[in-house]
Amino acid sequence: MSDRPSDSVDPLLSICLAGAKQSFSAGDELVCEYQIDAIDPADIQAVEVSVVWYTEGKGEEDMGVHYFERRLPSDAEDGDLRPMRRLRTRLPNSPLSYAGAILTIRWCIRLRVFMRRRGDSVMEYPFTLGAVPLRVPAVA
Amino acid sequence: MARLFRFLEKKRGRRRTGSNLAGSVGEAVFCGTLFLLGVLALTALVAAQVVRYDAQSLAIGVGWWLVFLVLSSFVVIGGVGLIRTALRVSASAERRGAMARQASELDIVREATPRPKNYPTVPSYDGLTNSPGIELAYRLPPSSTPGWRLLATTLFTLAWNGVACVLAVWTVQGHLAGQPDWFLTAFLVPFLAFGVWSVRYLLLQIWLHNGMGLTTVEISDCPLVPGRNYQVAIAQHGHITVKSLELWLVCEEEATYRQGTDIRTEVRRVYEERLWSHRDFRIEPSEPFQATAPMPIPATAMHSFHSAHNSVNWKLVVRGEVANWPAFERGFSIVVYPGEATLRVEVSANVARSALRPQLSVTSTPTGASA
């Protein structure tokens, strides 16, 4: 039995891509649904959902936002931001997912929930854009 | 006590030993104090001039304007720092990114320039198409201009040797007067030696810049698309006997990162293919060497990419070995757009790319950005 107070338990975040598709072509429409659970609706201050790319590797991390939506309790019916909501966006032609020698480019759907007095909770759902080969051709 | 208050903080990537919130508060206090100090002092300075006008103190070269500029810089630096800190604390990284994207979409000049739409992070190729070629459509500008390097070397050599001359005169005078300064004499020897080396290096640069002759590269189209074939033309000028001249298609990844207080850049070559080579020939000033070669871009090549700290750069590199000259290498940047083979996902590619996908991650930060 945990001695942590019940309000310190992280909320349950879920993201579901339509058709369980995890690789997309440039220009494809990305459709997903997200939902928040195991939290009192009054405890949610704001919800942000975004489709972003970010870099990993030797260099400092760079990030680009393709889609962004921020919702406050006043934007929802009865002020409840927990029910399932659909996100729909057409993906751009670049940057394509890439795994290089010192640079990796990744795409993900990021769901961030801001809670009153408890900071935020984040969930990422990765996917790939385009089909650049995993292994770059060797230097001759 | 050490647990409550650390004098030194450590940082490894995103992780740090200190509190982000405490850091942000400290930064806000510093910027706010600077801003407040600047505003109060600037107000006092201007008010004093308004109440008791003194034309003499406003003359150019007198300290009033210098104080005015310094206090104005306090206001600007403090104000900008305060706004940046407030934005960072009050908004998530995605929200800041979305705001930055909205701001960049208002770029009127960018809108006015015709270019393929919906290709974010692919660098602009405006600078590559504004110079028409003689053999082919576009003449490429060199990646790095030797003129700037030459200017920097010249200024450094002049400054170093100027100081060396002053020290040399001072030392010799001491010896002639019978009061030699042996410490200064010992210090002067390596100082002069480095001065001689810098003069030699400068002369070598001038020799390379003026004597080697111009290299020009032209391409048949821009931007380039993977899976298609293009033509490239090379012309080498000068009065030289060439042992070998090669043209390479190269792709490099570039990453900029902080190490302590230094900013470092690492470049890794991930693809190179020799397009053309020629050996043992002579170039006369009246007749520059010219050649044309096919330039196929690999169908599955990664496109050119540019972000704040990372990039994927494609370029054409000319490498030469010339009799009685040091070997040289000259680069010419090109822009490669995403190709058909990489834009479309095949069913089999899903399996191949599964290794690229990290596991789902859920993180919770008790003191993250506030809503």
Side-chain angles (χ1 to χ4, degrees), chain A residues 48 61 94 98 106 120 132, chain B residues 14 92 120 253 353 356 365:
Chain A
E48 288 180 359
E61 183 187 297
S94 63
Y98 174 65
R106 296 188 193 280
D120 60 350
V132 177
Chain B
R14 290 183 191 177
S92 63
E253 291 174 14
R353 296 190 61 77
L356 184 64
T365 49

Side-chain angles (χ1 to χ4, degrees), chain B residues 15-183:
Chain B
R15 293 176 291 122
R16 61 178 74 223
T17 54
S19 155
N20 277 332
L21 186 66
S24 298
V25 169
E27 198 176 334
V29 168
F30 174 77
C31 293
T33 309
L34 197 67
F35 178 74
L36 210 62
L37 188 75
V39 167
L40 290 175
L42 198 62
T43 309
L45 187 76
V46 175
Q49 199 58 232
V50 170
V51 172
R52 191 183 295 171
Y53 179 70
D54 180 11
Q56 242 182 352
S57 68
L58 293 178
I60 300 294
V62 181
W64 194 92
W65 287 107
L66 183 66
V67 176
F68 180 82
L69 279 176
V70 170
L71 293 177
S72 301
S73 74
F74 279 20
V75 174
V76 172
I77 293 168
V80 170
L82 208 56
I83 291 167
R84 282 185 61 179
T85 309
L87 268 178
R88 201 176 59 240
V89 171
S90 65
S92 63
E94 299 85 57
R95 197 176 171 195
R96 290 199 303 272
M99 286 193 279
R101 198 183 73 154
Q102 277 180 340
S104 70
E105 282 169 359
L106 296 173
D107 190 346
I108 298 164
V109 177
R110 204 173 161 181
E111 283 297 311
T113 315
R115 69 172 62 133
K117 298 239 183 255
N118 208 14
Y119 287 92
T121 70
V122 177
S124 158
Y125 56 89
D126 299 339
L128 307 183
T129 53
N130 53 12
S131 179
I134 298 168
E135 289 285 319
L136 299 171
Y138 305 110
R139 175 175 290 191
L140 297 173
S143 304
S144 59
T145 315
W148 287 109
R149 190 175 175 180
L150 196 62
L151 180 67
T153 310
T154 307
L155 291 175
F156 174 81
T157 306
L158 284 175
W160 188 275
N161 286 287
V163 174
C165 286
V166 171
L167 289 177
V169 169
W170 199 348
T171 310
V172 170
Q173 274 182 343
H175 280 279
L176 291 177
Q179 294 174 322
D181 186 338
W182 292 110
F183 177 76

Side-chain angles (χ1 to χ4, degrees), chain A residues 10 13 22-26 45-46 48 50 52-55 58-63 65-68 70 91-106 110 112 114-115 117-134 136-140, chain B residues 11 14 92-95 97-98 101 117-122 248 253-258 266-273 300-303 305 307-312 338 341-346 349-350 352-353 355-371:
Chain A
D10 290 335
L13 312 180
Q22 290 186 321
S23 294
F24 292 85
S25 297
Q45 198 173 0
E48 288 180 359
S50 50
V52 301
W53 61 264
Y54 59 94
T55 62
K58 191 96 180 182
E60 301 270 320
E61 183 187 297
D62 292 324
M63 188 193 74
V65 179
H66 169 67
Y67 174 92
F68 179 79
R70 178 183 164 88
L91 293 167
N93 295 321
S94 63
L96 301 178
S97 297
Y98 174 65
I102 57 170
L103 168 67
T104 300
I105 301 171
R106 296 188 193 280
R110 195 174 282 174
R112 191 184 290 271
F114 293 93
M115 294 162 286
R117 303 179 302 278
R118 280 200 289 145
D120 60 350
S121 188
V122 186
M123 183 192 189
E124 287 185 359
Y125 192 101
F127 66 90
T128 57
L129 178 63
V132 177
L134 279 173
V136 290
V139 171
Chain B
K11 183 175 179 291
R14 290 183 191 177
S92 63
E94 299 85 57
R95 197 176 171 195
R101 198 183 73 154
K117 298 239 183 255
N118 208 14
Y119 287 92
T121 70
V122 177
W248 292 78
E253 291 174 14
E254 189 176 302
T256 306
Y257 58 97
R258 284 188 189 185
E266 181 169 330
V267 178
R268 186 76 61 90
R269 192 161 285 187
V270 291
Y271 178 84
E272 68 176 6
E273 185 187 358
T300 57
M302 175 59 181
H303 59 82
F305 167 80
S307 63
H309 303 98
N310 299 277
S311 58
V312 176
T342 53
L343 284 168
R344 304 274 162 255
V345 176
E346 300 297 327
N350 292 354
R353 296 190 61 77
L356 184 64
R357 291 196 299 271
Q359 295 300 308
L360 282 179
S361 66
V362 180
T363 54
S364 202
T365 49
T367 54
S370 70

